[in-house]
mmCIF file of all heavy atoms in Angstrom:
data_model
loop_
_atom_site.group_PDB
_atom_site.id
_atom_site.type_symbol
_atom_site.label_atom_id
_atom_site.label_comp_id
_atom_site.label_asym_id
_atom_site.label_seq_id
_atom_site.Cartn_x
_atom_site.Cartn_y
_atom_site.Cartn_z
ATOM 1 N N MET E 1 122.418 21.772 -48.134
ATOM 2 C CA MET E 1 123.133 22.973 -47.670
ATOM 3 C C MET E 1 124.470 22.539 -47.041
ATOM 4 O O MET E 1 124.593 21.501 -46.415
ATOM 5 C CB MET E 1 122.295 23.703 -46.625
ATOM 6 C CG MET E 1 122.659 25.222 -46.520
ATOM 7 S SD MET E 1 121.514 26.036 -45.402
ATOM 8 C CE MET E 1 120.361 26.775 -46.577
ATOM 9 N N ALA E 2 125.462 23.377 -47.184
ATOM 10 C CA ALA E 2 126.843 23.021 -46.723
ATOM 11 C C ALA E 2 126.907 22.918 -45.201
ATOM 12 O O ALA E 2 126.194 23.658 -44.501
ATOM 13 C CB ALA E 2 127.801 24.086 -47.220
ATOM 14 N N ASN E 3 127.777 22.047 -44.757
ATOM 15 C CA ASN E 3 127.999 22.000 -43.308
ATOM 16 C C ASN E 3 128.905 23.148 -42.890
ATOM 17 O O ASN E 3 129.937 23.429 -43.543
ATOM 18 C CB ASN E 3 128.648 20.652 -42.904
ATOM 19 C CG ASN E 3 127.618 19.540 -42.847
ATOM 20 O OD1 ASN E 3 126.432 19.796 -42.747
ATOM 21 N ND2 ASN E 3 128.086 18.348 -42.917
ATOM 22 N N VAL E 4 128.504 23.795 -41.833
ATOM 23 C CA VAL E 4 129.348 24.909 -41.297
ATOM 24 C C VAL E 4 130.373 24.320 -40.321
ATOM 25 O O VAL E 4 131.572 24.605 -40.387
ATOM 26 C CB VAL E 4 128.450 25.893 -40.513
ATOM 27 C CG1 VAL E 4 129.295 26.891 -39.699
ATOM 28 C CG2 VAL E 4 127.535 26.626 -41.516
ATOM 29 N N CYS E 5 129.923 23.436 -39.439
ATOM 30 C CA CYS E 5 130.836 22.772 -38.512
ATOM 31 C C CYS E 5 131.185 21.404 -39.084
ATOM 32 O O CYS E 5 130.389 20.477 -39.122
ATOM 33 C CB CYS E 5 130.161 22.636 -37.143
ATOM 34 S SG CYS E 5 131.258 21.798 -35.967
ATOM 35 N N LEU E 6 132.418 21.288 -39.536
ATOM 36 C CA LEU E 6 132.845 20.051 -40.222
ATOM 37 C C LEU E 6 133.044 18.909 -39.224
ATOM 38 O O LEU E 6 132.678 17.752 -39.496
ATOM 39 C CB LEU E 6 134.184 20.357 -40.941
ATOM 40 C CG LEU E 6 134.136 21.520 -41.976
ATOM 41 C CD1 LEU E 6 135.474 21.826 -42.487
ATOM 42 C CD2 LEU E 6 133.170 21.208 -43.113
ATOM 43 N N CYS E 7 133.531 19.209 -38.030
ATOM 44 C CA CYS E 7 133.760 18.175 -36.980
ATOM 45 C C CYS E 7 132.501 17.443 -36.663
ATOM 46 O O CYS E 7 132.428 16.244 -36.548
ATOM 47 C CB CYS E 7 134.375 18.740 -35.757
ATOM 48 S SG CYS E 7 136.033 19.431 -35.917
ATOM 49 N N LYS E 8 131.419 18.252 -36.470
ATOM 50 C CA LYS E 8 130.189 17.652 -35.964
ATOM 51 C C LYS E 8 129.141 17.478 -37.112
ATOM 52 O O LYS E 8 128.023 16.959 -36.878
ATOM 53 C CB LYS E 8 129.570 18.566 -34.872
ATOM 54 C CG LYS E 8 130.402 18.540 -33.568
ATOM 55 C CD LYS E 8 130.218 17.252 -32.859
ATOM 56 C CE LYS E 8 130.929 17.183 -31.529
ATOM 57 N NZ LYS E 8 130.524 16.088 -30.721
ATOM 58 N N GLY E 9 129.450 17.916 -38.285
ATOM 59 C CA GLY E 9 128.513 17.783 -39.368
ATOM 60 C C GLY E 9 127.235 18.561 -39.148
ATOM 61 O O GLY E 9 126.151 18.023 -39.396
ATOM 62 N N VAL E 10 127.334 19.795 -38.790
ATOM 63 C CA VAL E 10 126.160 20.611 -38.542
ATOM 64 C C VAL E 10 125.963 21.626 -39.683
ATOM 65 O O VAL E 10 126.864 22.323 -39.991
ATOM 66 C CB VAL E 10 126.278 21.402 -37.187
ATOM 67 C CG1 VAL E 10 124.975 22.140 -36.919
ATOM 68 C CG2 VAL E 10 126.594 20.393 -36.023
ATOM 69 N N SER E 11 124.788 21.603 -40.214
ATOM 70 C CA SER E 11 124.480 22.419 -41.438
ATOM 71 C C SER E 11 124.170 23.873 -41.045
ATOM 72 O O SER E 11 123.846 24.177 -39.905
ATOM 73 C CB SER E 11 123.320 21.849 -42.155
ATOM 74 O OG SER E 11 122.113 22.054 -41.415
ATOM 75 N N GLU E 12 124.353 24.731 -42.017
ATOM 76 C CA GLU E 12 124.032 26.146 -41.853
ATOM 77 C C GLU E 12 122.536 26.265 -41.456
ATOM 78 O O GLU E 12 122.223 27.088 -40.576
ATOM 79 C CB GLU E 12 124.290 26.866 -43.130
ATOM 80 C CG GLU E 12 124.002 28.352 -43.133
ATOM 81 C CD GLU E 12 124.531 29.053 -44.380
ATOM 82 O OE1 GLU E 12 125.631 28.749 -44.886
ATOM 83 O OE2 GLU E 12 123.803 29.926 -44.888
ATOM 84 N N GLU E 13 121.690 25.506 -42.083
ATOM 85 C CA GLU E 13 120.271 25.534 -41.795
ATOM 86 C C GLU E 13 119.968 25.242 -40.318
ATOM 87 O O GLU E 13 119.171 25.943 -39.682
ATOM 88 C CB GLU E 13 119.605 24.479 -42.666
ATOM 89 C CG GLU E 13 118.143 24.536 -42.750
ATOM 90 C CD GLU E 13 117.599 23.474 -43.758
ATOM 91 O OE1 GLU E 13 118.323 22.494 -44.039
ATOM 92 O OE2 GLU E 13 116.457 23.673 -44.208
ATOM 93 N N THR E 14 120.631 24.240 -39.768
ATOM 94 C CA THR E 14 120.428 23.855 -38.328
ATOM 95 C C THR E 14 120.908 24.999 -37.430
ATOM 96 O O THR E 14 120.201 25.324 -36.430
ATOM 97 C CB THR E 14 121.223 22.582 -38.055
ATOM 98 O OG1 THR E 14 120.773 21.568 -38.877
ATOM 99 C CG2 THR E 14 121.097 22.157 -36.555
ATOM 100 N N ILE E 15 122.009 25.622 -37.768
ATOM 101 C CA ILE E 15 122.539 26.681 -36.940
ATOM 102 C C ILE E 15 121.629 27.937 -36.978
ATOM 103 O O ILE E 15 121.290 28.521 -35.975
ATOM 104 C CB ILE E 15 123.974 27.052 -37.385
ATOM 105 C CG1 ILE E 15 124.854 25.892 -37.045
ATOM 106 C CG2 ILE E 15 124.466 28.351 -36.716
ATOM 107 C CD1 ILE E 15 126.295 25.931 -37.604
ATOM 108 N N ILE E 16 121.120 28.284 -38.173
ATOM 109 C CA ILE E 16 120.232 29.436 -38.309
ATOM 110 C C ILE E 16 118.950 29.179 -37.482
ATOM 111 O O ILE E 16 118.501 30.100 -36.768
ATOM 112 C CB ILE E 16 119.919 29.734 -39.770
ATOM 113 C CG1 ILE E 16 121.176 30.228 -40.474
ATOM 114 C CG2 ILE E 16 118.791 30.750 -39.970
ATOM 115 C CD1 ILE E 16 121.048 30.341 -42.026
ATOM 116 N N LYS E 17 118.423 27.945 -37.548
ATOM 117 C CA LYS E 17 117.210 27.650 -36.754
ATOM 118 C C LYS E 17 117.492 27.859 -35.232
ATOM 119 O O LYS E 17 116.687 28.472 -34.552
ATOM 120 C CB LYS E 17 116.795 26.208 -37.021
ATOM 121 C CG LYS E 17 115.554 25.779 -36.350
ATOM 122 C CD LYS E 17 115.054 24.431 -36.983
ATOM 123 C CE LYS E 17 113.815 23.926 -36.268
ATOM 124 N NZ LYS E 17 114.126 23.271 -34.944
ATOM 125 N N ALA E 18 118.644 27.402 -34.776
ATOM 126 C CA ALA E 18 118.965 27.553 -33.380
ATOM 127 C C ALA E 18 119.120 29.043 -32.952
ATOM 128 O O ALA E 18 118.667 29.481 -31.929
ATOM 129 C CB ALA E 18 120.284 26.853 -33.032
ATOM 130 N N ILE E 19 119.692 29.829 -33.873
ATOM 131 C CA ILE E 19 119.803 31.284 -33.629
ATOM 132 C C ILE E 19 118.461 31.887 -33.491
ATOM 133 O O ILE E 19 118.174 32.663 -32.550
ATOM 134 C CB ILE E 19 120.673 31.943 -34.744
ATOM 135 C CG1 ILE E 19 122.094 31.431 -34.689
ATOM 136 C CG2 ILE E 19 120.596 33.477 -34.583
ATOM 137 C CD1 ILE E 19 122.869 31.823 -35.984
ATOM 138 N N LYS E 20 117.539 31.519 -34.380
ATOM 139 C CA LYS E 20 116.176 32.092 -34.349
ATOM 140 C C LYS E 20 115.435 31.597 -33.118
ATOM 141 O O LYS E 20 114.490 32.291 -32.672
ATOM 142 C CB LYS E 20 115.432 31.702 -35.661
ATOM 143 C CG LYS E 20 116.049 32.409 -36.831
ATOM 144 C CD LYS E 20 115.177 32.365 -38.049
ATOM 145 C CE LYS E 20 115.721 33.396 -39.091
ATOM 146 N NZ LYS E 20 115.413 33.047 -40.498
ATOM 147 N N GLU E 21 115.869 30.512 -32.559
ATOM 148 C CA GLU E 21 115.227 30.043 -31.313
ATOM 149 C C GLU E 21 115.928 30.674 -30.059
ATOM 150 O O GLU E 21 115.596 30.188 -28.937
ATOM 151 C CB GLU E 21 115.245 28.504 -31.258
ATOM 152 C CG GLU E 21 114.278 27.850 -32.249
ATOM 153 C CD GLU E 21 114.489 26.373 -32.406
ATOM 154 O OE1 GLU E 21 115.308 25.764 -31.721
ATOM 155 O OE2 GLU E 21 113.761 25.770 -33.231
ATOM 156 N N GLY E 22 116.844 31.544 -30.319
ATOM 157 C CA GLY E 22 117.373 32.279 -29.166
ATOM 158 C C GLY E 22 118.831 31.989 -28.801
ATOM 159 O O GLY E 22 119.314 32.563 -27.855
ATOM 160 N N ALA E 23 119.499 31.094 -29.552
ATOM 161 C CA ALA E 23 120.917 30.822 -29.258
ATOM 162 C C ALA E 23 121.740 31.918 -29.949
ATOM 163 O O ALA E 23 121.992 31.818 -31.121
ATOM 164 C CB ALA E 23 121.313 29.453 -29.732
ATOM 165 N N ILE E 24 122.104 32.979 -29.235
ATOM 166 C CA ILE E 24 122.757 34.097 -29.899
ATOM 167 C C ILE E 24 124.158 34.301 -29.418
ATOM 168 O O ILE E 24 124.745 35.401 -29.588
ATOM 169 C CB ILE E 24 121.927 35.430 -29.754
ATOM 170 C CG1 ILE E 24 121.628 35.736 -28.294
ATOM 171 C CG2 ILE E 24 120.649 35.322 -30.590
ATOM 172 C CD1 ILE E 24 121.227 37.177 -28.099
ATOM 173 N N THR E 25 124.783 33.294 -28.830
ATOM 174 C CA THR E 25 126.218 33.280 -28.616
ATOM 175 C C THR E 25 126.817 32.029 -29.244
ATOM 176 O O THR E 25 126.063 31.060 -29.381
ATOM 177 C CB THR E 25 126.578 33.354 -27.114
ATOM 178 O OG1 THR E 25 126.085 32.161 -26.493
ATOM 179 C CG2 THR E 25 125.991 34.568 -26.451
ATOM 180 N N PHE E 26 128.073 32.040 -29.500
ATOM 181 C CA PHE E 26 128.771 30.841 -30.003
ATOM 182 C C PHE E 26 128.535 29.672 -29.045
ATOM 183 O O PHE E 26 128.251 28.524 -29.501
ATOM 184 C CB PHE E 26 130.271 31.168 -30.173
ATOM 185 C CG PHE E 26 131.094 29.949 -30.495
ATOM 186 C CD1 PHE E 26 131.021 29.429 -31.778
ATOM 187 C CD2 PHE E 26 132.028 29.406 -29.591
ATOM 188 C CE1 PHE E 26 131.825 28.342 -32.146
ATOM 189 C CE2 PHE E 26 132.796 28.364 -29.955
ATOM 190 C CZ PHE E 26 132.681 27.775 -31.254
ATOM 191 N N GLU E 27 128.594 29.892 -27.757
ATOM 192 C CA GLU E 27 128.447 28.833 -26.768
ATOM 193 C C GLU E 27 127.034 28.302 -26.790
ATOM 194 O O GLU E 27 126.798 27.087 -26.703
ATOM 195 C CB GLU E 27 128.750 29.367 -25.364
ATOM 196 C CG GLU E 27 130.226 29.603 -25.072
ATOM 197 C CD GLU E 27 130.788 30.848 -25.813
ATOM 198 O OE1 GLU E 27 130.027 31.733 -26.177
ATOM 199 O OE2 GLU E 27 132.030 30.897 -25.961
ATOM 200 N N ALA E 28 126.021 29.204 -26.901
ATOM 201 C CA ALA E 28 124.605 28.754 -26.883
ATOM 202 C C ALA E 28 124.313 27.881 -28.157
ATOM 203 O O ALA E 28 123.618 26.918 -28.092
ATOM 204 C CB ALA E 28 123.696 29.969 -26.833
ATOM 205 N N VAL E 29 124.893 28.314 -29.305
ATOM 206 C CA VAL E 29 124.670 27.541 -30.524
ATOM 207 C C VAL E 29 125.273 26.146 -30.365
ATOM 208 O O VAL E 29 124.738 25.099 -30.762
ATOM 209 C CB VAL E 29 125.331 28.242 -31.758
ATOM 210 C CG1 VAL E 29 125.358 27.356 -32.981
ATOM 211 C CG2 VAL E 29 124.525 29.543 -32.069
ATOM 212 N N GLY E 30 126.431 26.096 -29.670
ATOM 213 C CA GLY E 30 127.122 24.806 -29.374
ATOM 214 C C GLY E 30 126.264 23.911 -28.497
ATOM 215 O O GLY E 30 126.174 22.719 -28.780
ATOM 216 N N GLU E 31 125.690 24.515 -27.495
ATOM 217 C CA GLU E 31 124.810 23.689 -26.565
ATOM 218 C C GLU E 31 123.636 23.136 -27.321
ATOM 219 O O GLU E 31 123.219 21.973 -27.113
ATOM 220 C CB GLU E 31 124.307 24.546 -25.425
ATOM 221 C CG GLU E 31 125.303 24.646 -24.308
ATOM 222 C CD GLU E 31 124.872 25.661 -23.240
ATOM 223 O OE1 GLU E 31 123.669 25.818 -23.055
ATOM 224 O OE2 GLU E 31 125.762 26.284 -22.633
ATOM 225 N N LYS E 32 123.037 23.919 -28.215
ATOM 226 C CA LYS E 32 121.831 23.538 -28.919
ATOM 227 C C LYS E 32 122.099 22.531 -30.053
ATOM 228 O O LYS E 32 121.280 21.625 -30.324
ATOM 229 C CB LYS E 32 121.124 24.745 -29.483
ATOM 230 C CG LYS E 32 119.755 24.968 -28.925
ATOM 231 C CD LYS E 32 119.151 26.223 -29.612
ATOM 232 C CE LYS E 32 117.637 26.165 -29.639
ATOM 233 N NZ LYS E 32 116.979 26.207 -28.303
ATOM 234 N N THR E 33 123.126 22.754 -30.790
ATOM 235 C CA THR E 33 123.362 21.975 -32.041
ATOM 236 C C THR E 33 124.636 21.073 -32.013
ATOM 237 O O THR E 33 124.776 20.240 -32.882
ATOM 238 C CB THR E 33 123.542 22.934 -33.236
ATOM 239 O OG1 THR E 33 124.775 23.662 -33.089
ATOM 240 C CG2 THR E 33 122.376 23.938 -33.296
ATOM 241 N N GLY E 34 125.533 21.317 -31.079
ATOM 242 C CA GLY E 34 126.825 20.639 -31.130
ATOM 243 C C GLY E 34 127.871 21.310 -31.925
ATOM 244 O O GLY E 34 129.059 20.969 -31.820
ATOM 245 N N ALA E 35 127.461 22.271 -32.763
ATOM 246 C CA ALA E 35 128.416 23.036 -33.591
ATOM 247 C C ALA E 35 129.464 23.715 -32.760
ATOM 248 O O ALA E 35 129.122 24.314 -31.729
ATOM 249 C CB ALA E 35 127.751 24.008 -34.470
ATOM 250 N N GLY E 36 130.728 23.593 -33.074
ATOM 251 C CA GLY E 36 131.817 24.230 -32.329
ATOM 252 C C GLY E 36 132.314 23.451 -31.160
ATOM 253 O O GLY E 36 133.284 23.845 -30.467
ATOM 254 N N THR E 37 131.768 22.225 -30.953
ATOM 255 C CA THR E 37 132.214 21.365 -29.837
ATOM 256 C C THR E 37 133.013 20.182 -30.310
ATOM 257 O O THR E 37 133.227 19.222 -29.548
ATOM 258 C CB THR E 37 130.998 20.919 -28.993
ATOM 259 O OG1 THR E 37 130.183 20.044 -29.799
ATOM 260 C CG2 THR E 37 130.111 22.106 -28.556
ATOM 261 N N GLY E 38 133.419 20.156 -31.573
ATOM 262 C CA GLY E 38 134.160 19.043 -32.127
ATOM 263 C C GLY E 38 135.671 19.126 -31.725
ATOM 264 O O GLY E 38 136.042 19.956 -30.911
ATOM 265 N N VAL E 39 136.457 18.269 -32.326
ATOM 266 C CA VAL E 39 137.871 18.150 -31.929
ATOM 267 C C VAL E 39 138.626 19.426 -32.210
ATOM 268 O O VAL E 39 139.632 19.723 -31.565
ATOM 269 C CB VAL E 39 138.594 16.963 -32.612
ATOM 270 C CG1 VAL E 39 138.062 15.666 -32.044
ATOM 271 C CG2 VAL E 39 138.438 16.993 -34.099
ATOM 272 N N CYS E 40 138.217 20.279 -33.162
ATOM 273 C CA CYS E 40 138.975 21.505 -33.394
ATOM 274 C C CYS E 40 138.445 22.664 -32.526
ATOM 275 O O CYS E 40 139.004 23.789 -32.547
ATOM 276 C CB CYS E 40 138.980 21.901 -34.891
ATOM 277 S SG CYS E 40 137.498 22.834 -35.449
ATOM 278 N N HIS E 41 137.467 22.469 -31.772
ATOM 279 C CA HIS E 41 136.882 23.442 -30.846
ATOM 280 C C HIS E 41 136.588 24.751 -31.472
ATOM 281 O O HIS E 41 136.836 25.827 -30.917
ATOM 282 C CB HIS E 41 137.859 23.699 -29.606
ATOM 283 C CG HIS E 41 138.084 22.402 -28.841
ATOM 284 N ND1 HIS E 41 137.120 21.864 -28.041
ATOM 285 C CD2 HIS E 41 139.222 21.632 -28.721
ATOM 286 C CE1 HIS E 41 137.601 20.743 -27.498
ATOM 287 N NE2 HIS E 41 138.852 20.605 -27.875
ATOM 288 N N GLY E 42 136.043 24.659 -32.707
ATOM 289 C CA GLY E 42 135.614 25.870 -33.383
ATOM 290 C C GLY E 42 136.674 26.559 -34.202
ATOM 291 O O GLY E 42 136.373 27.598 -34.818
ATOM 292 N N ALA E 43 137.895 25.992 -34.278
ATOM 293 C CA ALA E 43 138.928 26.652 -35.066
ATOM 294 C C ALA E 43 138.447 26.877 -36.536
ATOM 295 O O ALA E 43 138.790 27.839 -37.162
ATOM 296 C CB ALA E 43 140.200 25.813 -35.012
ATOM 297 N N ARG E 44 137.668 25.885 -37.053
ATOM 298 C CA ARG E 44 137.290 25.989 -38.418
ATOM 299 C C ARG E 44 135.860 26.553 -38.630
ATOM 300 O O ARG E 44 135.518 26.854 -39.743
ATOM 301 C CB ARG E 44 137.342 24.565 -39.110
ATOM 302 C CG ARG E 44 138.698 24.019 -39.174
ATOM 303 C CD ARG E 44 138.756 22.713 -39.897
ATOM 304 N NE ARG E 44 138.188 21.672 -39.051
ATOM 305 C CZ ARG E 44 138.008 20.411 -39.454
ATOM 306 N NH1 ARG E 44 138.316 20.062 -40.667
ATOM 307 N NH2 ARG E 44 137.503 19.516 -38.633
ATOM 308 N N CYS E 45 135.111 26.652 -37.550
ATOM 309 C CA CYS E 45 133.715 27.089 -37.747
ATOM 310 C C CYS E 45 133.275 28.271 -36.921
ATOM 311 O O CYS E 45 132.243 28.860 -37.207
ATOM 312 C CB CYS E 45 132.753 25.916 -37.481
ATOM 313 S SG CYS E 45 132.865 25.328 -35.741
ATOM 314 N N LYS E 46 134.096 28.691 -35.905
ATOM 315 C CA LYS E 46 133.622 29.736 -35.000
ATOM 316 C C LYS E 46 133.299 31.012 -35.743
ATOM 317 O O LYS E 46 132.279 31.661 -35.515
ATOM 318 C CB LYS E 46 134.639 29.923 -33.913
ATOM 319 C CG LYS E 46 134.167 30.941 -32.879
ATOM 320 C CD LYS E 46 135.082 31.026 -31.671
ATOM 321 C CE LYS E 46 134.439 31.912 -30.609
ATOM 322 N NZ LYS E 46 135.265 32.321 -29.589
ATOM 323 N N GLN E 47 134.212 31.381 -36.643
ATOM 324 C CA GLN E 47 134.022 32.642 -37.341
ATOM 325 C C GLN E 47 132.736 32.659 -38.166
ATOM 326 O O GLN E 47 131.961 33.638 -38.160
ATOM 327 C CB GLN E 47 135.236 32.802 -38.333
ATOM 328 C CG GLN E 47 135.610 34.266 -38.519
ATOM 329 C CD GLN E 47 136.821 34.428 -39.389
ATOM 330 O OE1 GLN E 47 137.449 33.436 -39.800
ATOM 331 N NE2 GLN E 47 137.112 35.623 -39.774
ATOM 332 N N THR E 48 132.423 31.577 -38.841
ATOM 333 C CA THR E 48 131.200 31.465 -39.588
ATOM 334 C C THR E 48 129.989 31.500 -38.701
ATOM 335 O O THR E 48 128.979 32.167 -38.963
ATOM 336 C CB THR E 48 131.194 30.148 -40.441
ATOM 337 O OG1 THR E 48 132.391 30.102 -41.211
ATOM 338 C CG2 THR E 48 129.978 30.107 -41.382
ATOM 339 N N ILE E 49 130.053 30.798 -37.572
ATOM 340 C CA ILE E 49 128.906 30.789 -36.615
ATOM 341 C C ILE E 49 128.646 32.168 -36.104
ATOM 342 O O ILE E 49 127.511 32.639 -36.057
ATOM 343 C CB ILE E 49 129.143 29.808 -35.478
ATOM 344 C CG1 ILE E 49 129.143 28.363 -36.027
ATOM 345 C CG2 ILE E 49 128.127 29.945 -34.398
ATOM 346 C CD1 ILE E 49 129.659 27.315 -35.038
ATOM 347 N N GLU E 50 129.724 32.906 -35.775
ATOM 348 C CA GLU E 50 129.529 34.277 -35.282
ATOM 349 C C GLU E 50 128.921 35.173 -36.360
ATOM 350 O O GLU E 50 128.134 36.056 -36.058
ATOM 351 C CB GLU E 50 130.855 34.779 -34.666
ATOM 352 C CG GLU E 50 131.141 34.050 -33.395
ATOM 353 C CD GLU E 50 132.378 34.545 -32.669
ATOM 354 O OE1 GLU E 50 133.293 35.023 -33.378
ATOM 355 O OE2 GLU E 50 132.400 34.352 -31.466
ATOM 356 N N ARG E 51 129.344 35.001 -37.616
ATOM 357 C CA ARG E 51 128.742 35.773 -38.701
ATOM 358 C C ARG E 51 127.262 35.457 -38.815
ATOM 359 O O ARG E 51 126.409 36.338 -38.976
ATOM 360 C CB ARG E 51 129.477 35.498 -39.993
ATOM 361 C CG ARG E 51 128.871 36.255 -41.202
ATOM 362 C CD ARG E 51 129.629 36.047 -42.456
ATOM 363 N NE ARG E 51 129.838 34.675 -42.906
ATOM 364 C CZ ARG E 51 128.873 33.900 -43.433
ATOM 365 N NH1 ARG E 51 127.660 34.362 -43.668
ATOM 366 N NH2 ARG E 51 129.151 32.652 -43.804
ATOM 367 N N LEU E 52 126.911 34.173 -38.725
ATOM 368 C CA LEU E 52 125.485 33.805 -38.855
ATOM 369 C C LEU E 52 124.662 34.375 -37.731
ATOM 370 O O LEU E 52 123.516 34.792 -37.913
ATOM 371 C CB LEU E 52 125.350 32.224 -38.904
ATOM 372 C CG LEU E 52 125.853 31.572 -40.142
ATOM 373 C CD1 LEU E 52 125.857 30.060 -39.951
ATOM 374 C CD2 LEU E 52 125.066 31.988 -41.362
ATOM 375 N N ILE E 53 125.204 34.428 -36.532
ATOM 376 C CA ILE E 53 124.553 35.045 -35.393
ATOM 377 C C ILE E 53 124.251 36.528 -35.682
ATOM 378 O O ILE E 53 123.107 36.932 -35.501
ATOM 379 C CB ILE E 53 125.364 34.847 -34.077
ATOM 380 C CG1 ILE E 53 125.390 33.380 -33.650
ATOM 381 C CG2 ILE E 53 124.793 35.747 -32.969
ATOM 382 C CD1 ILE E 53 126.374 33.103 -32.543
ATOM 383 N N GLU E 54 125.254 37.199 -36.147
ATOM 384 C CA GLU E 54 125.034 38.597 -36.496
ATOM 385 C C GLU E 54 123.978 38.816 -37.575
ATOM 386 O O GLU E 54 123.145 39.749 -37.463
ATOM 387 C CB GLU E 54 126.386 39.263 -36.992
ATOM 388 C CG GLU E 54 127.326 39.683 -35.903
ATOM 389 C CD GLU E 54 126.627 40.489 -34.813
ATOM 390 O OE1 GLU E 54 126.027 41.492 -35.137
ATOM 391 O OE2 GLU E 54 126.728 40.066 -33.645
ATOM 392 N N GLU E 55 123.950 37.895 -38.549
ATOM 393 C CA GLU E 55 123.006 38.054 -39.648
ATOM 394 C C GLU E 55 121.559 37.662 -39.260
ATOM 395 O O GLU E 55 120.628 38.196 -39.810
ATOM 396 C CB GLU E 55 123.453 37.171 -40.803
ATOM 397 C CG GLU E 55 124.625 37.750 -41.565
ATOM 398 C CD GLU E 55 125.188 36.821 -42.640
ATOM 399 O OE1 GLU E 55 124.538 35.807 -42.936
ATOM 400 O OE2 GLU E 55 126.208 37.106 -43.198
ATOM 401 N N HIS E 56 121.426 36.771 -38.346
ATOM 402 C CA HIS E 56 120.130 36.128 -38.051
ATOM 403 C C HIS E 56 119.483 36.347 -36.751
ATOM 404 O O HIS E 56 118.307 36.056 -36.565
ATOM 405 C CB HIS E 56 120.170 34.623 -38.392
ATOM 406 C CG HIS E 56 120.491 34.333 -39.798
ATOM 407 N ND1 HIS E 56 119.540 34.351 -40.804
ATOM 408 C CD2 HIS E 56 121.679 34.001 -40.396
ATOM 409 C CE1 HIS E 56 120.127 34.048 -41.952
ATOM 410 N NE2 HIS E 56 121.379 33.837 -41.757
ATOM 411 N N LYS E 57 120.216 36.925 -35.753
ATOM 412 C CA LYS E 57 119.602 37.147 -34.480
ATOM 413 C C LYS E 57 118.552 38.259 -34.627
ATOM 414 O O LYS E 57 118.592 39.131 -35.458
ATOM 415 C CB LYS E 57 120.639 37.513 -33.408
ATOM 416 C CG LYS E 57 121.283 38.846 -33.567
ATOM 417 C CD LYS E 57 122.283 39.110 -32.478
ATOM 418 C CE LYS E 57 122.979 40.438 -32.707
ATOM 419 N NZ LYS E 57 124.089 40.640 -31.822
ATOM 420 N N GLN E 58 117.557 38.239 -33.702
ATOM 421 C CA GLN E 58 116.502 39.227 -33.722
ATOM 422 C C GLN E 58 117.116 40.532 -33.209
ATOM 423 O O GLN E 58 117.791 40.539 -32.202
ATOM 424 C CB GLN E 58 115.384 38.846 -32.771
ATOM 425 C CG GLN E 58 114.822 37.423 -33.022
ATOM 426 C CD GLN E 58 114.209 37.266 -34.403
ATOM 427 O OE1 GLN E 58 113.686 38.170 -35.029
ATOM 428 N NE2 GLN E 58 114.250 36.029 -34.896
ATOM 429 N N LYS E 59 116.890 41.577 -34.006
ATOM 430 C CA LYS E 59 117.505 42.843 -33.625
ATOM 431 C C LYS E 59 116.604 43.602 -32.671
ATOM 432 O O LYS E 59 115.418 43.493 -32.707
ATOM 433 C CB LYS E 59 117.702 43.691 -34.934
ATOM 434 C CG LYS E 59 118.608 43.015 -35.898
ATOM 435 C CD LYS E 59 120.046 43.420 -35.787
ATOM 436 C CE LYS E 59 121.048 42.367 -36.322
ATOM 437 N NZ LYS E 59 120.806 42.079 -37.786
HETATM 438 S S1 FES L 101 134.527 22.471 -37.439
HETATM 439 FE FE1 FES L 101 133.256 22.989 -35.826
HETATM 440 S S2 FES L 101 134.200 22.227 -34.043
HETATM 441 FE FE2 FES L 101 135.520 21.702 -35.651
#
C-alpha cells in the first residue's frame, strides 16, 4: 500500500489502524504513527490524513 506520509514512510494502512484506535485528529495520528511530523510538517500529507480521518473515524 502506498505511503501517505513520504517524510516518515507511513502507509495508509498504518494511519487507518491508528484512526480506528481513536486517533481522530491530525495531531493524534502524528503522535501514534509519526505521520505528519517529518521535515515538511505535513505539507505533503496533512490533507490526505484529514481525509482518511473523515472516512474512517467512528461516527
Ligand atoms: S510527508 Fe508527511 S510530514 Fe512530510
Side-chain angles (χ1 to χ4, degrees):
M1 205 175 262
N3 281 341
V4 170
C5 179
L6 305 172
C7 294
K8 291 287 184 168
V10 184
S11 70
E12 182 172 318
E13 192 176 22
T14 300
I15 292 171
I16 292 170
K17 183 167 176 281
I19 294 165
K20 292 195 167 151
E21 289 170 2
I24 55 162
T25 62
F26 174 70
E27 289 72 21
V29 169
E31 274 171 34
K32 242 181 152 68
T33 69
T37 66
V39 291
C40 84
H41 300 291
R44 292 183 291 177
C45 63
K46 185 171 187 193
Q47 216 179 350
T48 307
I49 292 169
E50 289 182 335
R51 177 175 56 77
L52 290 172
I53 291 168
E54 280 310 306
E55 285 174 8
H56 295 281
K57 72 181 177 188
Q58 309 297 331
K59 301 266 157 58

